[in-house]
């Protein structure tokens, strides 16, 4: 049996990219860029799908914040100072915050919730969310594409050895499972 990783990426890559970009997404955009470098996916389509996934995810989080933000943010009392600082930035520089939030480590998921809870107009968020998502996707997909030159030789070797690695992983899981079963059985005795 031969596992055709390239065929799987070509067939399901765009869907995996979209779903992966709904939340965090940097890893998926970088890998999408590598796949585009390898000719498995098209660069422009990878950028658009990554941007769409990031935009849809942030839009959903914005509306979650708009309707349930106060309740959600109360759970983060230990981070209240950071939330207050984010709110001040949203009111002083909303465009910069909306575009930049996806680049801020630790704010990628909670940032759109805070923006939604700030009562910023949905149309304004939507416009700058699109711009931010496109900019984010172009940067990270391009980094993956350029990194593909370095990673590509390693990936070809990995693809050749993937079946062996999967068998090894399966054997390790089997051994671990048998040990766990034997321990539980010994404790019952």
């Amino acid at each position: 049996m031969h596992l055709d990783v390239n065929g799987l990426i070509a067939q399901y890559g765009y869907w995996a990219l979209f779903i992966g970009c709904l939340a965090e997404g940097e890893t998926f955009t970088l890998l999408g860029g590598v796949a585009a470098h390898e000719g498995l996916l098209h660069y422009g389509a990878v950028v658009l799908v990554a941007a769409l996934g990031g935009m849809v995810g942030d839009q959903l989080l914005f509306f979650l914040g708009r309707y349930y933000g106060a309740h959600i943010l109360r759970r983060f009392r230990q981070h209240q100072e950071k939330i207050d600082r984010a709110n001040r930035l949203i009111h002083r520089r909303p465009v910069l915050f909306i575009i930049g939030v996806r680049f801020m480590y630790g704010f990628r998921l909670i940032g759109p919730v805070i923006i939604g809870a700030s009562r910023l107009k949905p149309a304004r968020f939507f416009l700058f969310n699109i711009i931010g998502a496109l900019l984010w996707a172009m940067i990270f997909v391009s980094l993956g594409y350029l990194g593909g030159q370095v990673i590509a030789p390693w990936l070809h070797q990995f693809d050749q050895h993937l079946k062996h690695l999967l068998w090894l992983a399966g054997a390790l899981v089997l051994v671990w499972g048998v040990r766990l079963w034997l321990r539980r059985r010994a404790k019952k005795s």
Side-chain angles (χ1 to χ4, degrees), residues 62-70 116 119:
F62 171 82
F63 283 111
L64 182 72
R66 187 136 178 105
Y67 296 108
Y68 304 105
R119 310 310 292 168

Side-chain angles (χ1 to χ4, degrees), residues 71-147:
H71 177 71
I72 293 169
L73 295 176
R74 272 190 293 246
R75 294 176 177 237
F76 294 96
R77 289 188 184 162
Q78 70 273 19
H79 300 290
Q80 194 58 49
E81 186 179 313
K82 290 178 184 176
I83 293 169
D84 291 341
R85 191 172 345 137
N87 271 312
R88 285 192 301 274
L89 272 171
I90 291 166
H91 291 292
R92 276 190 297 190
R93 306 245 190 263
V95 172
L96 185 63
F97 194 86
I98 294 167
I99 292 172
V101 76
R102 66 186 68 248
F103 297 98
M104 295 179 199
Y105 181 76
F107 271 92
R108 179 68 169 89
L109 293 175
I110 196 68
V113 174
I114 296 170
I115 297 169
S118 76
R119 310 310 292 168
L120 190 76
K121 292 181 180 178
R124 190 165 193 194
F125 178 79
F126 180 71
L127 173 66
F128 293 109
N129 185 28
I130 291 171
I131 294 168
L134 284 168
L135 182 63
W136 170 80
M138 283 191 287
I139 289 170
F140 281 96
V141 171
S142 296
L143 287 172
Y145 190 90
L146 294 172

Side-chain angles (χ1 to χ4, degrees), residues 12-39:
Y12 300 110
Y14 295 114
W15 283 108
L17 180 64
F18 177 78
I19 292 167
C21 290
L22 285 173
E24 288 291 333
E26 283 80 8
T27 302
F28 286 90
T29 55
L30 289 168
L31 291 175
V34 171
H37 177 270
E38 289 298 294

Side-chain angles (χ1 to χ4, degrees), residues 166-180:
L166 289 175
W167 279 109
L168 177 63
L172 291 172
V173 168
L174 179 65
V175 168
W176 178 77
V178 169
R179 279 189 67 193
L180 187 63

